[in-house]
């Protein structure tokens, strides 16, 4: 078994580790079909062999060529380390700086088999969210981090460690970019080719920035979405007896089952991959599993009648589930679903993110590799059936929303009936959950703030939970607006529930949604607790890029921005740059993530709290910008919540000045000007 010290020594070349190939008994990424020419295959091999000295290139070339032929990418399975991959306590990493050790901890957590979707292919979640492109990059990055001082920065180009470069102590220790492709070439086909060549990578949102914390990271946002969907669509504060139907139990979508139970409703979640179902059931995230639709309908009815919280995983295609619910409506007149959505990886629909209803799972996987064109056709036919069933239920009163996974976008491209009359490019028959449910929350500055206790001690996590809850309760007592107060109460409820629901998978981490004031106050309180010895080791702060400021995504995070700038990416880039010089320990900028390659730009960060005064100042400065950047942008686009939030921030901080928009009160001015 390889040790952490050995991991930090660089690529193991003498002797070469045994090539054990793909391991059995664990999930693996779908086979890719990049359709490389002979010359492009040579280029992919040349790019992979650059990591190794000439004397072993002949031996490696043959097996790398075989990987490329069999899997459509060179993962370098020979160099998959023989180590228990997990987040070790920070003190066990042989590093010169706490910052580097914290980054190593986060990388290994992202690749922990209990966390990662396809760990041997370095995929954390989403079907193609990579931590690195190949295992050589892992070894080199870990070596660089072990050598790094507080006057060096590691630079990562789409998984490739470019090297350590001199930098001032206050600079980030790590700069990550993923998929920064020239816009005219940011297409799916070009991506498949460039990924196969080993020159770019899909970092998703928090995989390629080393900030994923397991499915808990989305549970909280899903809880808030379901609760607020109940408030908006059903006019209900309590969701007992209400039924939420959706699909997906993977790395991100797996959160839906746990969220449904915390929200108090009946959740029925379809999943075609039995391994994903069993994983969530084993982890306690899914209460029951069934592959029988008769049984699913009976259990749904029973839980609905008794108003008991339930998470039921249907092992089968969600289209079959939706069509069965239509059948029940047609034959009994009973509408069994109150709320509906979808969390299949539709940003990646033709490479394993969505499986067509016409085929079984294994048969579909074979077709995906043998005839990708036919697979694509079946997916698009399936999407049309999928939408047709949803439309019938929605016409009778079920409320459906797009979960920002490009479901409606891909359905539209397939020819499904999702059009909205008179809509702009970001609107469909059903709203994005950002447009109707979470958008105003973002405009208040709330988003998925999170932290990781690097000691690995659950008691440290419990201490941080208590600190966060006290901070929010104190803020309520001091006085906040009604809308902010409701969100604080939801988050206090979340923290109380979190400990009871065994949400930790991998690192000792927590997430909650908080605004600028809350995030800064919690960070300062945690940093002081470290200084006082109440928390035994540093704490890493981060967030999902799915936030008020970190992401420009016209079909999700910025879908409720209607001034024409939804397709502009200035905010995410400014977020990345601004966090870098305001004190972040590391920053990341991605193309793609959540909604698909070429559809979004994400900016993210990591910040290490070590109990020092400097860490407190960094937290205050960086977290303030990380939120206010997005609130100010939303204010300028005309959002009333953002306008009030940024005005309040300016009243509290005399050095903050934001350009405020004037409202056009007389529409006749516009009409007359256009006619003239």
């Amino acid at each position: 078994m390889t040790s952490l010290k050995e991991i930090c020594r660089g690529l193991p070349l003498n002797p070469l580790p045994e090539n054990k190939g793909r391991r059995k008994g664990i999930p693996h990424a779908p086979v890719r079909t990049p359709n490389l020419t002979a010359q492009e295959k040579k280029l992919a091999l040349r790019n992979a062999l650059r990591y190794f000295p000439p004397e072993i290139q002949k031996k490696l070339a043959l097996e790398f060529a075989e990987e490329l032929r069999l899997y459509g990418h060179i993962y370098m399975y020979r160099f998959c380390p023989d180590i228990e991959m997990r987040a070790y306590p920070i003190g066990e990493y042989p590093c010169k700086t706490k910052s580097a050790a914290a980054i190593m901890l986060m990388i290994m957590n992202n690749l922990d088999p209990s966390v990662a979707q396809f760990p041997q292919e370095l995929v954390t979640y989403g079907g193609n969210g990579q931590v690195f492109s190949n295992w050589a990059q892992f070894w080199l990055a870990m070596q660089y981090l072990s050598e790094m001082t507080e006057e060096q920065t590691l630079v990562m180009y789409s998984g490739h460690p470019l090297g350590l470069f001199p930098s001032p102590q206050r600079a980030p220790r790590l700069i990550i970019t993923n998929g920064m492709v020239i816009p005219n070439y940011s297409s799916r086909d070009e991506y498949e080719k460039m990924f196969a060549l080993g020159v770019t990578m899909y970092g998703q949102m928090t995989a390629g920035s080393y900030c994923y914390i397991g499915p808990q990271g989305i549970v909280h946002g899903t809880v808030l979405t379901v609760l607020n969907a109940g408030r908006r669509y059903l006019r209900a504060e309590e969701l007992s007896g209400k039924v939420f139907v959706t699909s997906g139990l993977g790395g991100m979508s797996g959160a839906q089952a746990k969220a449904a139970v915390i929200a108090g409703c009946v959740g029925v979640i379809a999943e075609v991959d039995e391994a994903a179902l069993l994983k969530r059931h084993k982890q306690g995230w899914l209460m029951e599993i069934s592959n029988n639709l008769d049984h699913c309908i009976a259990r749904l009815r029973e839980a609905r009648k008794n108003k008991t919280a339930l998470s039921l995983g249907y092992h089968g295609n969600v289209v079959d589930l939706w069509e069965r619910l239509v059948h029940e409506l047609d034959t009994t007149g009973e509408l069994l679903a109150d709320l509906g959505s979808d969390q299949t990886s539709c940003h990646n629909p033709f490479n394993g993110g969505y499986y067509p209803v016409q085929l079984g799972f294994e048969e579909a996987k074979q077709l995906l590799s043998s005839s990708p064109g036919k697979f694509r056709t079946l997916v698009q036919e399936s999407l049309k059936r999928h939408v047709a069933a949803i439309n019938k239920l929605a016409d009778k009163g079920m409320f459906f929303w797009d979960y920002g996974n490009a479901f409606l976008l891909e359905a539209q491209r397939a020819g499904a009936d999702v059009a909205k009359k008179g809509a702009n490019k970001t609107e469909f028959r059903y709203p994005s959950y950002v447009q109707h449910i979470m958008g105003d929350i973002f405009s208040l500055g709330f988003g998925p703030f999170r932290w990781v206790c690097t000691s690995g001690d659950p008691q440290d996590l419990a201490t941080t939970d208590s600190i966060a809850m006290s901070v929010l309760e104190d803020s309520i007592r001091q006085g906040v607006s009604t809308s902010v107060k409701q969100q604080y109460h939801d988050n206090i409820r979340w923290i109380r529930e979190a400990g009871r629901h065994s949400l930790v998978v991998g690192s000792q981490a927590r997430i909650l949604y908080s605004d600028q004031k809350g995030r800064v106050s919690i960070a300062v309180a945690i940093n002081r607790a470290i200084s006082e010895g109440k928390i035994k080791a540093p704490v890493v702060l981060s967030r999902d890029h799915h936030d008020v400021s970190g992401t420009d995504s016209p079909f999700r995070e910025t879908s409720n921005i209607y001034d024409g700038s939804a397709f502009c990416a200035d905010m995410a880039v400014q977020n990345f740059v601004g966090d870098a010089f305001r004190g972040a320990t590391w920053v990341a900028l991605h193309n793609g993530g959540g909604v698909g390659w070429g559809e979004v730009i994400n900016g993210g960060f990591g910040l290490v709290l070590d109990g020092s005064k400097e860490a407190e100042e960094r937290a205050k400065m960086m977290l303030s910008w990380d939120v206010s950047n997005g609130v100010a942008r939303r204010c300028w686009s005309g959002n009333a919540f953002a306008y009030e939030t940024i005005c309040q921030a300016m009243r509290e901080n005399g050095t903050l000045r934001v350009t405020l928009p004037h409202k056009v009160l007389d529409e006749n001015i516009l009409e007359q000007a256009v006619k003239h």
Side-chain angles (χ1 to χ4, degrees):
M1 183 71 76
T2 307
S3 68
L4 286 175
K5 283 187 177 180
E6 290 170 309
I7 287 288
C8 295
R9 290 175 186 163
L11 276 163
L13 302 176
N14 190 21
L16 282 173
E18 179 186 356
N19 184 11
K20 298 180 180 179
R22 278 196 169 194
R23 294 174 186 162
K24 295 181 180 179
I26 62 171
H28 288 285
V31 173
R32 298 181 178 278
T33 53
N35 298 318
L36 300 183
T37 65
Q39 284 300 113
E40 287 168 339
K41 290 175 183 176
K42 289 181 183 178
L43 184 56
L45 288 170
R46 185 180 293 113
N47 290 344
L49 291 171
R50 289 183 297 184
Y51 289 101
F52 305 94
E55 58 268 23
I56 60 173
Q57 288 181 0
K58 184 176 181 180
K59 182 173 185 177
L60 294 179
L62 294 174
E63 64 189 59
F64 288 174
E66 183 74 351
E67 286 185 18
L68 187 61
R69 184 181 69 82
L70 291 175
Y71 311 120
H73 187 72
I74 300 170
Y75 295 105
M76 305 182 184
Y77 288 117
R78 176 189 289 274
F79 296 96
C80 182
D82 181 24
I83 190 172
E84 183 185 354
M85 192 71 73
R86 62 181 176 86
Y88 291 83
I90 192 170
E92 296 184 21
Y93 290 94
C95 294
K96 297 177 181 178
T97 76
K98 291 179 181 177
S99 298
I103 295 166
M104 292 174 78
L105 179 154
M106 299 292 281
I107 288 172
M108 295 188 74
N109 183 68
N110 270 24
L111 294 170
D112 181 338
S114 69
V115 174
Q117 186 180 15
F118 306 126
Q120 217 182 351
E121 287 76 45
L122 303 114
V123 173
T124 300
Y125 66 94
N128 59 351
Q130 306 281 150
V131 185
F132 299 101
S133 180
N134 58 56
W135 284 105
Q137 294 172 350
F138 167 84
W139 286 92
L140 288 171
M142 298 301 266
Q143 181 182 16
Y144 280 133
L145 288 166
S146 71
E147 297 171 355
M148 177 192 288
T149 71
E150 289 288 356
E151 294 182 338
Q152 289 174 308
T153 293
L154 173 60
V155 177
M156 300 293 299
Y157 276 16
S158 292
H160 169 68
L162 194 66
L164 291 172
F165 294 83
S167 60
Q169 189 170 353
R170 193 167 175 80
R173 300 278 71 81
L174 171 66
I175 304 285
I176 305 168
T177 52
N178 287 310
M180 291 292 105
V181 173
I182 303 302
N184 274 356
Y185 304 92
S186 190
S187 67
R188 283 179 181 159
D189 290 343
E190 290 286 355
Y191 165 71
E192 290 297 334
K193 185 167 289 188
M194 286 188 281
F195 180 62
L197 292 175
V199 295
T200 198
M201 187 181 88
Y202 196 92
Q204 264 283 351
M205 285 191 153
T206 52
S209 60
Y210 320 147
C211 290
Y212 189 63
I213 61 166
Q216 178 194 173
I218 197 173
V219 174
H220 186 27
T222 310
V223 169
L224 291 180
T225 301
V226 174
L227 286 175
N228 284 294
R231 288 166 181 154
R232 181 181 181 104
Y233 298 133
L234 307 177
R235 301 291 184 264
E237 283 291 333
E238 281 295 320
L239 294 180
S240 57
K242 304 299 182 183
V243 177
F244 172 46
V245 176
T246 183
S247 62
L249 286 166
M252 296 293 280
S253 56
Q256 295 181 109
K258 179 66 76 174
V261 174
I262 294 175
C265 65
V266 179
V268 185
I269 307 99
E271 171 60 64
V272 293
D273 186 353
E274 186 178 27
L277 254 98
L278 294 175
K279 182 176 183 178
R280 297 300 168 220
H281 188 256
K282 183 179 179 181
Q283 290 174 341
W285 289 61
L286 186 63
M287 294 166 68
E288 299 178 18
I289 293 174
S290 175
N291 62 4
N292 185 295
L293 278 173
D294 290 338
H295 177 73
C296 287
I297 296 299
R299 282 294 289 127
L300 184 162
R301 279 198 166 101
E302 181 184 5
R304 186 171 179 243
K305 179 181 177 181
N306 297 329
K307 295 189 175 183
T308 54
L310 172 68
S311 57
L312 172 62
Y314 167 56
H315 180 209
N317 198 291
V318 70
V319 179
D320 287 326
L321 175 59
W322 282 122
E323 290 180 342
R324 176 57 184 270
L325 291 169
V326 171
H327 173 75
E328 294 298 319
L329 176 65
D330 290 343
T331 56
T332 70
E334 191 175 12
L335 180 66
L336 293 177
D338 300 286
L339 300 170
S341 193
D342 183 272
Q343 270 202 40
T344 50
S345 295
C346 268
H347 70 279
N348 184 33
F350 310 122
N351 280 289
Y354 181 98
Y355 285 90
V357 67
Q358 303 94 318
L359 302 175
F361 182 55
E362 293 301 327
E363 188 182 2
K365 285 203 297 183
Q366 291 174 7
L367 185 67
L368 173 59
S369 59
S370 65
S371 183
K374 187 175 181 181
F375 182 86
R376 175 188 288 256
T377 299
L378 291 180
V379 164
Q380 292 182 322
E381 290 174 359
S382 182
L383 282 166
K384 285 190 277 190
R385 278 177 59 180
H386 196 153
V387 168
I390 289 168
N391 287 350
K392 289 179 182 178
L393 297 169
D395 287 344
K396 295 298 182 180
M398 181 193 74
F399 294 93
F400 184 88
W401 69 87
D402 182 281
Y403 225 133
N405 59 336
F407 171 67
L408 292 181
L409 180 63
E410 287 303 326
Q412 180 190 58
R413 289 168 175 168
D417 181 15
V418 296
K420 178 181 177 182
K421 189 176 180 180
N424 64 34
K425 288 192 290 185
T426 64
E427 293 182 292
F428 299 97
R429 177 171 180 163
Y430 303 105
S432 156
Y433 75 120
V434 173
Q435 289 171 317
H436 266 200
I437 303 169
M438 299 298 285
D440 288 342
I441 295 173
F442 284 167
S443 295
L444 290 167
F446 282 84
F449 179 58
R450 52 177 65 164
W451 60 87
V452 175
C453 297
T454 66
S455 65
D457 188 343
Q459 184 53 51
D460 273 358
L461 184 60
T463 301
T464 59
D465 281 350
S466 179
I467 288 170
M469 194 154 47
S470 295
V471 167
L472 297 184
E473 288 170 341
D474 286 346
S475 295
I476 291 172
R477 282 192 290 269
Q478 292 167 14
V480 291
S481 69
T482 301
S483 51
V484 169
K485 185 177 181 180
Q486 182 185 65
Q487 295 307 316
Y488 276 0
H489 277 307
D490 282 348
N491 280 282
I492 291 167
R493 169 183 173 177
W494 159 259
I495 294 176
R496 285 179 177 149
E497 292 284 326
R500 297 197 305 108
H501 283 273
S502 303
L503 292 168
V504 169
V505 177
S507 60
Q508 292 294 317
R510 185 67 73 227
I511 180 174
L512 62 79
Y513 271 56
S514 190
D515 58 355
Q516 177 179 322
K517 182 178 180 180
R519 297 187 212 198
V520 172
S521 299
I522 291 168
V524 168
I526 288 175
N527 192 62
R528 290 176 182 174
I530 297 168
S531 176
E532 295 164 3
K534 296 175 182 177
I535 298 172
K536 292 180 282 297
V539 169
V540 175
L541 302 183
S542 71
R543 55 158 167 77
D544 195 338
H545 307 348
H546 169 59
D547 195 8
V548 56
S549 181
T551 297
D552 282 300
S553 177
F555 295 101
R556 192 161 79 180
E557 284 81 2
T558 48
S559 60
N560 66 333
I561 289 179
Y562 302 114
D563 67 350
S565 69
F567 292 87
C568 300
D570 300 80
M571 181 178 72
V573 175
Q574 289 284 1
N575 176 266
F576 162 83
V577 174
D579 284 356
F581 67 73
R582 286 180 174 86
T585 308
W586 72 93
V587 288
L589 189 67
H590 308 306
N591 170 12
V595 296
W597 183 262
E599 303 284 0
V600 57
I601 298 294
N602 301 307
F605 78 89
L607 176 64
V608 177
L609 299 178
D610 60 8
S612 66
K613 185 65 178 175
E614 183 191 6
E616 179 175 322
E617 292 306 312
R618 284 173 177 251
K620 289 178 180 177
M621 183 70 72
M622 199 223 80
L623 292 174
S624 295
W625 163 252
D626 195 62
V627 176
S628 62
N629 171 39
V631 176
R633 189 266 181 96
R634 283 168 166 78
C635 163
W636 184 246
S637 71
N639 185 282
F641 282 105
Y643 188 94
E644 291 301 321
T645 301
I646 205 69
C647 286
Q648 178 64 30
M650 284 195 287
R651 286 192 290 270
E652 294 174 355
N653 185 346
T655 63
L656 174 64
R657 293 287 301 279
V658 173
T659 307
L660 299 175
H662 294 287
K663 293 181 181 179
V664 179
L665 298 177
D666 188 351
E667 287 291 320
N668 290 327
I669 296 175
L670 306 180
E671 290 287 343
Q672 292 169 8
V674 170
K675 287 178 181 178
H676 180 75

